[in-house]
Amino acid sequence: MIVLGLSSGTSVDAIDAAAADFHLGPDGVLRMRPLGHTEYEWPAALRERILKALPPAPVDMGEVTQLDTLIGQEFGRAGRQAIDDVAGGDVDLVASHGQTLYHWVVGARAHGSLQLGNAAWIAERTRRPVINDFRVADIAAGGQGAPLVSVLDALWLGRDPQSPDGAPAGLSAALNIGGIANVTLVGEVEAPVTGWDTGPGNCLIDLTMRQLTGEPFDRDGSLGATGTVDQAALRALLDDPYFAAKAPKSTGRELFDATYVPRKLAAVRPDLTGADLVATLTELTAVTIAEGLLSVAQGAHRDGDPQREVRRVVVSGGGAHNPTLLARLRAYLPEGCELLTADQLGMPIDAKEAYLFALLGFLSAHGVAGTAKGEQRRRSTGARRATVLGSLTPPTPLIWPAFTGPIRRLVLANTPFGLAPMPKGTHR
């Protein structure tokens, strides 16, 4: 089955598209052959409207309605083009995340999440069935609705003692640094995983770069590399209850918005600017990722088992292109913990989110839950039970049979351990 995944992250950089061919074997191993990925720039005027609608901006329902249509139409155009560009015209299903406008969290509980981009426009343009609205079912079941990527991470990076796939002993941490950074802590295949948002990834850096230079991000970490971290400012930025909250947890621009930095620095460093401010925000991202990761790992490591130590961190997302950020993150990781990028393991760092939604579309089309097993009889998102994610447009019967057996692992067919014969387009 060939699925096209579409996604746009909290940075609103572009619409990412990735197509993959999936085949589930009788051994419970799901082979995913990446067919290709690309991105399509947002029209400048529409991107500006989306950014202006993000928190803390007040938005009326007329603007929400218009954005839902305009984003849906743009996703439809991108999907139609991507079917030809990356899949050779051969796609069975489109899975669209849409564009998040608001993720509603109060205290430790998520209450809702709004992604715009009406699926009817995508289905009309692509002439394919579309699955979208992936987060709300998990939230209704008591979960955070994020990070959804944990199911991909668990299946992909889970260590199988019976398969010499190159995974080290101990835990792997799958780290995605988008506008918000998230981590999944993965051990053996089918073992419980923990996934959570660590806090700001690139969002505060990007906001500051636009204000200082007009550039959308700190290219190659060059400005941050020339600055000096202001320790007083860093302490003020770290003084937020979110960082001390227990995983699983989720956040977004609702907390880390354009007012976060000036609010936190008003009493200590109101005049901090330029390269020093960018360096300090880069340090904030590195510190919150590392401290959150090691804190959760130590909780999982309470039995003193060295097999529960974090042995590698696998990075994806836009932050993987920032060598200054990666260098600061490496400085906080324990000795012997390997830091590598996802593309070193066969997953393109800029397309992981789009491939995630292709995977979620495949799972949902076959009636399979879209969240990983978590601790204490919960899901990795904190949900009480496993749920099939998403809604189907148009609401017609699917032609694909429901799977009854478990899916144990995800193997990328472009890696040495995934090169077993794979019938193209099986389970269409």
Side-chain angles (χ1 to χ4, degrees):
M1 177 181 183
I2 297 176
V3 185
L4 176 69
L6 300 173
S7 178
S8 176
T10 52
S11 297
V12 200
D13 293 329
I15 298 174
D16 298 316
D21 192 2
F22 293 93
H23 171 67
L24 180 63
D27 56 355
V29 175
L30 177 61
R31 285 189 168 81
M32 182 181 91
R33 176 181 286 119
L35 300 179
H37 65 276
T38 189
E39 64 179 34
Y40 302 97
E41 289 189 4
W42 286 102
L46 179 54
R47 180 174 188 268
E48 190 63 25
R49 285 180 70 173
I50 296 170
L51 290 172
K52 286 182 177 179
L54 295 176
V59 184
D60 64 36
M61 290 307 299
E63 181 67 356
V64 171
T65 302
Q66 292 180 38
L67 284 175
D68 192 36
T69 293
L70 294 172
I71 292 170
Q73 291 172 341
E74 199 59 36
F75 265 74
R77 278 190 284 271
R80 176 58 266 175
Q81 188 66 40
I83 288 172
D84 293 329
D85 288 348
V86 301
D90 189 8
V91 164
D92 301 300
L93 175 72
V94 177
S96 173
H97 173 253
Q99 178 65 58
T100 297
L101 237 66
Y102 196 84
H103 190 67
W104 182 21
V105 178
V106 179
R109 183 176 178 186
H111 292 268
S113 192
L114 178 64
Q115 286 74 44
L116 298 186
N118 194 286
W121 293 103
I122 305 171
E124 177 67 22
R125 190 62 183 265
T126 63
R127 299 293 181 175
R128 303 297 198 281
V130 177
I131 296 178
N132 75 321
D133 197 18
F134 285 96
R135 298 188 185 275
V136 177
D138 181 74
I139 293 173
Q144 293 287 323
L148 295 179
V149 72
S150 293
V151 69
L152 186 157
D153 295 332
L155 292 171
W156 173 42
L157 296 178
R159 178 169 48 85
D160 189 345
Q162 300 177 354
S163 175
D165 59 2
L171 299 174
S172 293
L175 168 64
N176 187 74
I177 310 176
I180 298 296
N182 59 65
V183 168
T184 308
L185 207 57
V186 183
E188 289 190 0
V189 168
E190 299 182 294
V193 304
T194 304
W196 73 101
D197 290 338
T198 62
N202 304 313
C203 63
L204 298 181
I205 301 170
D206 293 350
L207 283 167
T208 300
M209 288 298 297
R210 281 195 290 271
Q211 294 166 357
L212 293 176
T213 70
E215 294 296 321
F217 58 92
D218 186 13
R219 191 177 302 276
D220 298 323
S222 56
L223 186 58
T226 64
T228 300
V229 175
D230 187 304
Q231 294 298 329
L234 180 62
R235 286 192 295 272
L237 292 165
L238 287 167
D239 185 18
D240 193 279
Y242 183 78
F243 299 123
K246 293 182 179 181
K249 57 183 178 177
S250 62
T251 189
R253 286 180 178 248
E254 302 74 33
L255 174 58
F256 300 106
D257 61 17
T259 71
Y260 185 84
V261 173
R263 280 191 293 107
K264 292 292 185 180
L265 299 188
V268 292
R269 290 290 190 269
D271 299 325
L272 183 64
T273 188
D276 290 350
L277 177 56
V278 176
T280 303
L281 294 175
T282 302
E283 193 79 359
L284 173 68
T285 295
V287 168
T288 51
I289 290 171
E291 289 188 350
L293 169 62
L294 297 178
S295 174
V296 174
Q298 287 167 4
H301 187 196
R302 54 189 172 271
D303 57 1
D305 182 0
Q307 296 298 312
R308 302 291 294 173
E309 294 178 356
V310 179
R311 298 299 180 88
R312 66 175 176 180
V313 177
V314 183
V315 189
S316 60
H321 295 291
N322 185 330
T324 304
L325 174 56
L326 295 186
R328 295 309 304 146
L329 175 60
R330 186 176 287 107
Y332 286 104
L333 294 176
E335 185 177 353
C337 179
E338 182 182 14
L339 181 67
L340 66 159
T341 56
D343 52 5
Q344 292 176 257
L345 299 179
M347 180 70 74
I349 57 176
D350 293 320
K352 184 182 175 187
E353 289 282 307
Y355 279 119
L356 162 67
F357 287 102
L359 171 65
L360 290 176
F362 174 85
L363 296 177
S364 296
H366 293 90
V368 179
T371 54
K373 181 169 65 174
E375 301 282 352
Q376 298 177 347
R377 301 179 67 180
R378 295 252 173 172
R379 308 304 288 176
S380 60
T381 58
R384 295 181 297 273
R385 63 182 185 86
T387 54
V388 178
L389 305 181
S391 300
L392 176 67
T393 302
T396 53
L398 289 172
I399 63 173
W400 304 290
F403 292 144
T404 56
I407 298 177
R408 298 184 62 251
R409 301 184 65 205
L410 174 73
V411 174
L412 301 183
N414 59 344
T415 62
F417 299 100
L419 293 179
M422 174 178 167
K424 184 176 184 294
T426 303
H427 296 311
R428 292 254 178 111

